[in-house]
Amino acid sequence: MFKQSKEPEKKGSEKREDLLVSFLKDAHFVFAIIWETQYFIQNTRVIFNKPWVNDKKAYNEYNKVLSQPLKLLAYAHILNVEMVDGALTFSVANEDLLDYISRKDRNAYNFLYCYFMKVMSDSGFMKYFEEYAKDSVANPVAARDEIYERYYRLINGNTPSHSRLDIRRMFHKVFNVYAAEHHLHGSNGKITYYSDLMYNKKNWRDMDKDKTVTRQEAMTPNKIEKQEAINTYYVQKAIALIRKIHTVSEVNDSWGNGEATQVHHIFPKSQFPQIAHYVENLILLTATQHNTKAHPNNKTQQVNKDYQLVCLLAKADTIENSLLRFGEKYYRKESFVYVINTGLTVEFSTGLSFDDIKTKLVQIYNAA
């Protein structure tokens, strides 16, 4: 029944799961433990654009930032929760799933979609989503208003929440995830895409920019610093994932003996910042491979094009094998194709097989 389920979480919760799993596995914990960590203090400031944690005026805001996703994870049985000495105390119930959620925004999106749809199904509400999918084709505004009204009645009649405004804001989060998954009109009346769900969307710099000036001219020092911090966060997270899932060099050649300690950008971060955080653009190498082959004479600004091809072919094998074993837990074929298209200015189709991708790569580099 609906009363057994928890109200859905707001977008951005995927990054909060990352904050949680970054330092906590088995211990029992309360909000304050997370609140006091430097990881939480620094990243919530950057990612969520919140006031400093020690700002007393921000107490209620941060209490919400922490409590909502933790309670969601508890209702999803990813965390255990109990009352100890008057405080909600949590522990990890499903470490594998928590780790999965934390690794990639796409994984968190997959979890949220499945969780939201489970809650809606248990509540007998899925039929209204299905009706919306049909009715929104001809009249998206009327169809949206109808499903929002039905959701208000559901929450108003079965929970302590009665504010129409709060319930509407709550439903945005569920509705837009459903819309993105099925390529439908979202809460803003436009077709919603996965990228629209991100807390800090990549095009945030353009929102208030005068269209007559360049992006660089519109960037203030504060905005530049903020964007660099966000980029660094994503790149570091991707590098950490590569180190977690690979223990030996992904390139099997005569320079691959020894410990693989270097995470290498196949297409350089300085030249292609838009794909710097893609795990499909990162490959684990030994120090010798990285410093003598990928970057000749350890000159990190230079790229050995022949070895770049070697890395791309090896990464293709890595991704293909990973998809066969784990599905899209770590990699996506579409993302690998996007990395290639961006780095080489080509237009590979996502429908190509991995063998076809490798054949085309060899042809491109041999013709260069």
Side-chain angles (χ1 to χ4, degrees):
M1 297 297 293
F2 182 81
K3 290 183 180 180
Q4 298 294 321
S5 302
K6 183 61 178 174
E7 68 186 50
E9 176 51 55
K10 299 181 178 181
K11 70 179 176 180
S13 63
E14 62 270 16
K15 297 181 180 66
R16 296 174 219 171
E17 272 80 76
D18 168 51
L19 296 172
L20 172 62
V21 81
S22 67
F23 70 95
L24 208 47
K25 292 292 185 181
D26 302 314
H28 287 71
F29 60 95
V30 295
F31 296 156
I33 293 177
I34 303 175
W35 203 313
E36 295 169 357
T37 64
Q38 285 301 309
Y39 190 92
F40 178 78
I41 293 170
Q42 294 173 6
N43 283 295
T44 50
R45 175 71 173 172
V46 170
I47 302 302
F48 297 110
N49 198 28
K50 302 292 185 184
W52 289 110
V53 172
N54 58 5
D55 185 343
K56 294 181 179 180
K57 293 182 291 185
Y59 176 83
N60 289 335
E61 182 71 16
Y62 273 107
N63 187 55
K64 180 178 67 174
V65 165
L66 284 171
S67 65
Q68 288 185 344
L70 289 176
K71 290 177 181 178
L72 180 149
L73 291 172
Y75 276 91
H77 303 292
I78 296 172
L79 297 180
N80 301 311
V81 61
E82 58 184 330
M83 189 68 70
V84 177
D85 296 329
L88 286 177
T89 303
F90 300 87
S91 61
V92 177
N94 190 330
E95 183 177 330
D96 288 342
L97 188 49
L98 180 63
D99 183 72
Y100 168 82
I101 293 169
S102 74
R103 289 297 165 184
K104 294 169 61 180
D105 289 345
R106 173 68 68 168
N107 293 359
Y109 165 81
N110 292 338
F111 160 72
L112 288 175
Y113 176 78
C114 291
Y115 178 74
F116 289 166
M117 295 307 102
K118 179 64 166 64
V119 172
M120 294 294 96
S121 178
D122 289 351
S123 306
F125 200 80
M126 277 306 301
K127 59 185 178 182
Y128 300 121
F129 278 104
E130 294 164 1
E131 288 179 5
Y132 172 78
K134 296 177 183 178
D135 297 343
S136 64
V137 175
N139 195 334
V141 174
R144 180 195 62 191
D145 291 345
E146 175 67 18
I147 193 172
Y148 268 77
E149 178 62 26
R150 291 187 180 278
Y151 187 78
Y152 169 74
R153 295 174 190 171
L154 176 71
I155 300 300
N156 182 60
N158 293 279
T159 78
S161 298
H162 303 296
S163 167
R164 186 176 290 272
L165 177 60
D166 288 345
I167 293 173
R168 184 178 181 84
R169 292 174 62 188
M170 180 197 309
F171 191 49
H172 287 335
K173 323 310 174 185
V174 183
F175 182 66
N176 286 332
V177 168
Y178 180 84
E181 182 69 13
H182 297 278
H183 309 292
L184 300 171
H185 292 82
S187 60
N188 63 359
K190 301 178 181 178
I191 297 294
T192 300
Y193 299 96
Y194 166 76
S195 60
D196 296 323
L197 305 179
M198 296 299 100
Y199 197 91
N200 268 314
K201 293 185 289 187
K202 294 300 180 182
N203 64 343
W204 68 270
R205 295 176 291 177
D206 292 332
M207 294 185 67
D208 299 314
K209 182 175 74 67
D210 183 343
K211 301 305 181 182
T212 64
V213 301
T214 66
R215 175 175 291 171
Q216 190 62 39
E217 290 171 333
M219 291 288 280
T220 65
N222 183 58
K223 285 185 177 180
I224 292 174
E225 181 181 6
K226 177 180 174 65
Q227 187 62 44
E228 288 177 348
I230 293 173
N231 292 344
T232 298
Y233 167 83
Y234 278 109
V235 171
Q236 289 177 344
K237 186 174 179 179
I239 289 174
L241 176 57
I242 294 296
R243 294 189 190 280
K244 177 180 175 63
I245 62 180
H246 300 296
T247 57
V248 298
S249 174
E250 296 179 65
V251 176
N252 185 17
D253 60 15
S254 56
W255 297 274
N257 295 324
E259 187 177 3
T261 59
Q262 307 295 305
V263 178
H264 170 62
H265 281 88
I266 300 174
F267 295 107
K269 179 172 62 174
S270 59
Q271 297 177 33
F272 302 96
Q274 67 271 45
I275 55 174
H277 65 288
Y278 277 66
V279 289
E280 292 81 6
N281 186 41
L282 296 172
I283 190 166
L284 188 65
L285 302 175
T286 65
T288 302
Q289 289 173 322
H290 189 244
N291 298 330
T292 65
K293 301 301 296 181
H295 299 296
N297 300 317
N298 199 25
K299 295 180 179 179
T300 57
Q301 297 304 312
Q302 295 182 11
V303 175
N304 182 329
K305 291 296 184 179
D306 291 336
Y307 209 71
Q308 187 177 64
L309 171 61
V310 170
C311 288
L312 283 170
L313 297 177
K315 197 67 194 184
D317 289 337
T318 291
I319 295 171
E320 183 177 20
N321 292 332
S322 180
L323 290 173
L324 290 172
R325 292 186 61 191
F326 307 111
E328 294 187 347
K329 182 176 182 179
Y330 302 120
Y331 295 107
R332 296 179 70 241
K333 181 183 178 183
E334 293 80 2
S335 296
F336 184 52
V337 170
Y338 174 72
V339 165
I340 293 171
N341 288 344
T342 301
L344 298 178
T345 317
V346 294
E347 294 184 1
F348 283 16
S349 166
T350 57
L352 292 173
S353 69
F354 279 96
D355 284 340
D356 290 338
I357 290 173
K358 289 187 288 186
T359 298
K360 285 182 173 292
L361 286 172
V362 171
Q363 291 172 347
I364 290 172
Y365 279 84
N366 284 346

